[in-house]
Coordinates of all heavy atoms in Angstrom, one line a residue:
P5 N 9.3 12.9 19.9 CA 8.6 12.4 21.1 C 7.3 13.3 21.2 O 7.2 14.4 20.8 CB 9.6 12.8 22.3 CG 10.4 13.8 21.7 CD 10.5 13.6 20.2
A6 N 6.3 12.7 21.9 CA 5.0 13.4 22.0 C 4.3 13.0 23.2 O 4.5 11.9 23.8 CB 4.1 13.1 20.8
R7 N 3.4 13.8 23.7 CA 2.5 13.6 24.8 C 1.1 13.9 24.3 O 0.8 15.0 23.8 CB 2.8 14.4 26.0 CG 1.7 14.2 27.1 CD 2.0 15.0 28.4 NE 2.8 14.1 29.2 CZ 3.1 14.3 30.4 NH1 2.9 15.5 31.0 NH2 3.8 13.4 31.1
V8 N 0.2 12.9 24.4 CA -1.2 13.1 24.1 C -2.0 13.2 25.4 O -1.8 12.4 26.3 CB -1.8 11.9 23.2 CG1 -3.2 12.1 22.9 CG2 -0.9 11.8 22.0
V9 N -2.8 14.3 25.5 CA -3.6 14.5 26.7 C -5.1 14.6 26.4 O -5.5 15.3 25.5 CB -3.2 15.9 27.4 CG1 -4.0 16.1 28.7 CG2 -1.7 15.9 27.7
F10 N -5.8 13.7 27.1 CA -7.3 13.8 27.0 C -7.8 14.4 28.3 O -7.4 14.1 29.4 CB -7.9 12.3 26.9 CG -7.6 11.6 25.6 CD1 -6.5 10.8 25.5 CD2 -8.4 11.8 24.5 CE1 -6.2 10.2 24.3 CE2 -8.1 11.2 23.3 CZ -7.0 10.4 23.2
P11 N -8.8 15.4 28.2 CA -9.3 16.0 29.4 C -10.3 15.2 30.1 O -10.9 14.3 29.5 CB -9.9 17.3 28.8 CG -10.3 16.9 27.4 CD -9.3 15.9 27.0
P13 N -11.8 12.6 32.7 CA -10.6 12.6 33.6 C -9.4 12.6 32.8 O -9.3 12.0 31.7 CB -10.8 11.4 34.5 CG -11.5 10.4 33.6 CD -12.4 11.3 32.7
R14 N -8.3 13.2 33.3 CA -7.1 13.4 32.5 C -6.4 12.1 32.3 O -6.2 11.2 33.2 CB -6.2 14.4 33.2 CG -6.8 15.8 33.2 CD -6.0 16.8 33.8 NE -4.9 17.3 33.0 CZ -4.9 18.0 32.0 NH1 -6.0 18.4 31.5 NH2 -3.8 18.4 31.4
L15 N -6.0 11.9 31.0 CA -5.3 10.7 30.6 C -4.1 11.3 29.8 O -4.2 12.0 28.9 CB -6.1 9.8 29.7 CG -5.3 8.7 29.0 CD1 -4.8 7.7 30.0 CD2 -6.2 8.0 28.0
F16 N -2.9 10.9 30.3 CA -1.6 11.3 29.6 C -1.0 10.1 29.0 O -0.9 9.0 29.6 CB -0.6 11.9 30.6 CG -1.1 13.1 31.3 CD1 -1.8 13.1 32.5 CD2 -0.8 14.4 30.7 CE1 -2.2 14.2 33.1 CE2 -1.2 15.5 31.3 CZ -1.9 15.5 32.5
V17 N -0.7 10.2 27.7 CA 0.0 9.1 27.0 C 1.3 9.6 26.5 O 1.2 10.5 25.6 CB -0.9 8.4 25.9 CG1 -0.1 7.3 25.2 CG2 -2.2 8.0 26.5
D18 N 2.4 9.2 27.0 CA 3.7 9.6 26.5 C 4.2 8.6 25.4 O 4.2 7.4 25.7 CB 4.7 9.7 27.6 CG 4.4 10.9 28.5 OD1 4.2 12.0 28.0 OD2 4.4 10.7 29.7
L19 N 4.6 9.1 24.3 CA 5.1 8.3 23.2 C 6.6 8.7 22.9 O 6.9 9.9 22.8 CB 4.2 8.5 22.0 CG 2.7 8.2 22.2 CD1 1.9 8.7 21.0 CD2 2.5 6.7 22.4
S20 N 7.4 7.7 22.8 CA 8.8 8.0 22.6 C 9.1 8.5 21.2 O 10.0 9.3 20.9 CB 9.7 6.7 22.8 OG 9.3 5.7 21.9
V22 N 6.8 9.6 17.4 CA 5.6 9.7 16.5 C 6.1 10.2 15.1 O 7.1 11.0 15.1 CB 4.5 10.6 17.0 CG1 3.9 10.0 18.3 CG2 4.9 12.0 17.3
I38 N -7.0 17.2 13.8 CA -5.9 17.7 14.6 C -4.9 16.6 14.9 O -3.8 16.9 15.3 CB -6.4 18.4 15.9 CG1 -7.2 17.4 16.7 CG2 -7.2 19.6 15.6 CD1 -7.5 17.9 18.1
A39 N -5.3 15.3 14.7 CA -4.4 14.2 15.0 C -5.0 12.9 14.4 O -6.2 12.8 14.2 CB -4.3 14.0 16.5
L40 N -4.1 12.0 14.1 CA -4.4 10.7 13.7 C -4.1 9.8 14.9 O -3.0 9.8 15.4 CB -3.6 10.2 12.5 CG -3.8 11.1 11.2 CD1 -2.8 10.6 10.1 CD2 -5.2 11.0 10.7
V41 N -5.1 9.1 15.3 CA -5.0 8.3 16.5 C -4.9 6.8 16.1 O -5.7 6.3 15.5 CB -6.2 8.5 17.5 CG1 -6.1 7.6 18.7 CG2 -6.3 9.9 17.9
G42 N -3.8 6.2 16.6 CA -3.5 4.8 16.3 C -3.7 3.9 17.5 O -4.1 4.3 18.6
D44 N -1.5 2.7 19.4 CA -0.6 3.1 20.5 C -1.4 4.0 21.5 O -1.1 3.9 22.7 CB 0.7 3.8 20.0 CG 0.4 4.9 19.1 OD1 -0.7 5.1 18.6 OD2 1.4 5.6 18.8
I45 N -2.4 4.7 21.0 CA -3.2 5.5 21.9 C -4.4 4.7 22.3 O -4.8 4.7 23.5 CB -3.7 6.8 21.2 CG1 -2.5 7.7 20.8 CG2 -4.6 7.6 22.1 CD1 -1.7 8.2 22.0
L46 N -5.1 4.1 21.4 CA -6.3 3.3 21.6 C -6.2 2.2 22.6 O -7.1 1.8 23.3 CB -6.9 2.8 20.3 CG -7.4 3.9 19.3 CD1 -7.8 3.2 18.0 CD2 -8.5 4.7 19.9
H48 N -5.0 2.3 25.4 CA -5.3 2.9 26.8 C -6.8 3.1 26.9 O -7.2 3.6 28.0 CB -4.6 4.2 27.0 CG -3.1 4.0 26.9 ND1 -2.3 3.6 27.9 CD2 -2.2 4.2 25.9 CE1 -1.1 3.5 27.6 NE2 -1.0 3.9 26.3
C49 N -7.6 2.9 26.0 CA -9.0 3.3 25.9 C -10.0 2.1 25.6 O -9.5 1.1 25.1 CB -9.2 4.4 24.9 SG -8.1 5.8 25.1
L62 N -15.4 6.8 22.8 CA -14.1 6.6 23.3 C -14.1 6.9 24.8 O -14.5 7.9 25.2 CB -13.1 7.6 22.6 CG -11.6 7.4 23.0 CD1 -11.1 6.1 22.5 CD2 -10.8 8.6 22.4
Y64 N -12.1 6.1 28.7 CA -10.8 5.8 29.3 C -10.9 5.8 30.8 O -11.8 6.4 31.3 CB -9.6 6.6 28.8 CG -9.9 8.1 28.8 CD1 -9.5 8.9 29.9 CD2 -10.5 8.7 27.8 CE1 -9.8 10.2 29.9 CE2 -10.8 10.1 27.8 CZ -10.4 10.8 28.9 OH -10.6 12.2 28.9

Side-chain angles (χ1 to χ4, degrees):
R7 171 177 269 186
V8 178
V9 179
F10 291 93
R14 293 185 71 78
L15 169 67
F16 296 90
V17 179
D18 288 313
L19 303 167
S20 60
V22 297
I38 60 171
L40 298 174
V41 178
D44 50 351
I45 300 294
L46 294 176
H48 299 279
C49 308
L62 184 66
Y64 49 93

